[in-house]
Structures are given as C-alpha cells and as structure tokens.
Amino acid sequence: MSAGTRQGGLRVVVVGGGITGLLAAIRCVQAGHHVVLLERGPVPHPGATSFDQHRALRALVVGDQAATRRAAELDRRWRELDALLCDHLPGAGLYRRSGVLQALPTGRVPEAVATASAAGVPLRIVHPSAYPLVGFPRGSGAVLEPHAGTLLADRVLNAAARWLRHHPGAELRPGREAVGVDPDRGRVRLADGTAETGDVVLVAAGPWTGALVDRPVVLHRQTMVYLRPPAALAHAWAATPTAGGLGADGRAWLLPSVAGTLLKISTDAVRREVTTLSGPDDDAGWAARVLAAGVVSDVDGYDVVRVKHCHYATADGDGTGFVRVGPTVWARPAGGGDGFRTAPPAADAVVAELSGQAVAVA
C-alpha cells in the first residue's frame, strides 16, 4: 500500500532534531502521521548546525523575480509558524520584522528595485550614511526590505521541540545516534545496536546526512564572531537591521542585537571546504579575518564574547529539498547556509509528497 493511501497515518521516523527535522516532524503530525524523532544528543541539540542565536529571513534575490517571489512567501509562512509554536502568547514572538539591509554597487540598485517591484516585495532605497555603525563597501548603495528580519533560531528550535513533546502524535528520542540507514527497508541503525523502522524515514541530519545515505555533498566550515557592543551603542544596535554585502569586499554580513542576542558578524571570505566535520582546522586566524573584514565601524571597541565554527553541506544543483533515496526513505542532504529559509518549504513539500501531492522546491 502506498504512502498516500495507507489508512490511519504513517509511522514516520525522522533522523535529526535541527530545524529541518523538527519542522518536518511537525508537518507530519499535522498531516495525521505518527512521528518518532531520533537525535544523537538532546532535543534540540546545541551542536546542531541550526542551533544559533538568530538567523536572517529575507526575500530579495537581485535579478531573479521568481526566486524573490518564492522567498517572499516565507514571511507569511514564518508568521504562521510563530503563532503555532508560541501558541499566540503575547510578546513571545520568534520572528522579528527588524528589516534586512543589503549593500549593492550603485549600478545594481535600480535592478534591485525592479526585481522587488515585479515580485511584489516592499523595498526602500536608503543611504549608507543612515547606518554609521555598519561597514559598507566604498561607494556602495543600499536597499532595505522592511518585511524581512530576524528569526530567534535557538528559541525556534526549543519552541518546536516543546510543541512536539506535548503532542500525542510525536515521540522525541534524544541520545539515539543513527549510524546507518537502509534505503530499501526504511530501517535506521543506531549506535547502541538497536534499530528503528518506519513506513517512511526522513533523514534530516544536516551535514551528517551524507554519512547516512549515499548522496554526494560538499562540506563547508564557517567562522562567526559574536560581539558585545559598547554600552553607549546598545540602543543604536537594537534599531539596526540585519545587513549583507558589507565589508571592504562586499562579502560580509551581520545580525544585530535583537531581543537580547549578541551582535554576530562573519564573511564569505572565511568559508572553506572541508573533508570531515571533526577534522582540525588550520591555524589561519579565522576570527581575526572576520574582525578585520570591515563589517563594523571601530570594531576594536567591541568585546569578543564568542567565536563559533559551524558546518553546513551543499549539493550539485543547489537543491535544498528532500530527495528520494529509497522506496520509503527521503533525505535532505544539503541545506546550504540558510536552512531556516529553506526548511519550511522542504518540509511542506515532502509531507505533500507523502500524500501524493508532489510540489516543487527550489
């Protein structure tokens, strides 16, 4: 009997308790399936790629109207998820429409405006001088998406785990490390010698997915630096939007202090390909490179609170949805560096496919 015709819902085993696994589990429960979620550590796991203070949510892809239109739907989708996970509690919002600022060469500003207009995305042209704390490339222009902003990432994960714990259709099983997946039998082998079998298996283990299913991925390591602004600038930073295209080379970005978070900065210049998740890093002074990238004006006056080296995986074609790897097994081998943007449509699409309603995910 096919997944779309089975009566009484399916037993769905989800491997991985990051943003993709948690949202896929929620969508499966909402569709009437019974979910068993396996995670090698606690749920949520502080070591997961998606466990972080905050992540940006934006729509504009300059020059690509279709991609911008699809991304704009995420504003609505995350507001729905915010209401679901917070149970409409006032003041408990997980998604803050703080705006997203994008630095661009001045010649590309008209193209950005045209793309946003065609996609129905609100956009304003702003001058970099309005944001003196932010390091813009010399001579650049800037645009602001007011209907974009910041997701409080670790709070999202905790709220999603709490929602699942209180739902009778879900079982969370922390401390259960998957070491292999049989794509033909829908069977997950665990490190303790036991196994879990489901009518459907969804592998959403982030950059660890490639070790469980035979799907080629490229592993990346990224360094992020967390800063505490001087007390005199705390109020100004709280009113500053997320920003990208920064630094002397236009490859850096920042997420400001929102709802008690630290200021986070990084640059694509410190993103590097690696062969393993646990291998040692070379002594390249990655944090120093981030601090020297010109992301923040007068960065020497800020306290460095934390440095984090995170990992993510990409695949050929930049696909970020679930792919079928066996008769009853789907995997999301790559989420890119923006998993919070791509996880909701990936989860929606795979659950629709289980119901025989295949939809496309970019």
Side-chain angles (χ1 to χ4, degrees):
M1 186 175 292
S2 71
T5 60
R6 184 183 176 92
Q7 298 298 312
L10 303 168
R11 187 176 195 270
V12 180
V13 177
V14 176
V15 180
I19 187 60
T20 299
L22 290 168
L23 290 188
I26 288 172
R27 288 292 292 114
C28 285
V29 168
Q30 290 178 318
H33 307 306
H34 183 85
V35 172
V36 176
L37 186 144
L38 307 173
E39 170 55 55
R40 61 193 175 93
V43 182
H45 195 326
T49 298
S50 51
F51 196 96
D52 197 3
Q53 289 186 135
H54 42 16
R55 295 292 177 88
L57 186 67
R58 59 179 176 80
L60 179 64
V61 183
V62 179
D64 193 332
Q65 298 174 18
T68 299
R69 193 175 293 110
R70 288 195 303 270
E73 272 295 299
L74 290 173
D75 176 78
R76 175 192 62 79
R77 189 72 183 93
W78 269 110
R79 283 187 284 120
E80 291 176 350
L81 287 166
D82 197 350
L84 173 73
L85 299 179
C86 290
D87 196 23
H88 299 85
L89 294 175
L94 304 169
Y95 169 40
R96 308 295 173 94
R97 261 189 178 178
S98 53
V100 172
L101 185 67
Q102 188 167 343
L104 294 167
T106 53
R108 297 204 70 193
V109 171
E111 183 183 10
V113 172
T115 302
S117 177
V121 172
L123 193 72
R124 297 204 303 264
I125 299 175
V126 297
H127 196 277
S129 63
Y131 302 94
L133 302 179
V134 178
F136 290 87
R138 185 181 298 276
S140 68
V143 293
L144 176 69
E145 282 184 69
H147 291 184
T150 304
L151 288 161
L152 302 175
D154 53 0
R155 301 182 208 183
V156 171
L157 299 180
N158 278 294
R162 183 173 61 248
W163 189 94
L164 289 165
R165 284 191 196 99
H166 289 95
H167 200 289
E171 299 177 46
L172 300 186
R173 298 189 182 174
R176 307 295 296 277
E177 181 182 2
V179 295
V181 175
D182 184 335
D184 297 319
R185 298 169 58 194
R187 186 171 182 267
V188 181
R189 291 186 292 106
L190 303 176
D192 62 7
T194 63
E196 287 286 346
T197 302
D199 299 310
V200 170
V201 173
L202 302 180
V203 183
W208 292 270
T209 297
L212 300 175
V213 296
D214 186 19
R215 303 294 295 190
V217 296
V218 178
L219 297 176
H220 304 265
R221 186 174 292 156
Q222 177 88 29
T223 297
M224 299 180 290
V225 178
Y226 299 78
L227 305 173
R228 181 173 290 113
L233 299 180
H235 181 73
W237 272 116
T240 300
T242 291
L246 306 180
D249 61 2
R251 300 178 67 188
W253 45 266
L254 67 82
L255 279 88
S257 308
V258 177
T261 64
L262 295 166
L263 167 64
K264 180 173 69 178
I265 64 174
S266 190
T267 169
D268 285 346
V270 301
R271 177 176 59 84
R272 56 271 190 202
E273 292 185 13
V274 295
T275 55
T276 67
L277 296 170
S278 57
D281 222 337
D282 54 34
D283 185 17
W286 299 110
R289 293 190 189 190
V290 173
L291 291 169
V295 191
V296 173
S297 302
D298 301 320
V299 73
D300 290 342
Y302 292 68
D303 293 329
V304 176
V305 179
R306 184 185 179 197
V307 174
K308 180 180 179 181
H309 306 290
C310 68
H311 297 88
Y312 63 90
T314 58
D316 289 342
D318 293 324
T320 55
F322 280 89
V323 293
R324 197 164 190 164
V325 296
T328 58
V329 177
W330 282 258
R332 191 183 188 218
D338 57 355
F340 276 79
R341 294 180 67 238
T342 53
D348 291 345
V350 76
V351 174
E353 189 170 351
L354 297 183
S355 301
Q357 303 170 11
V359 296
V361 176

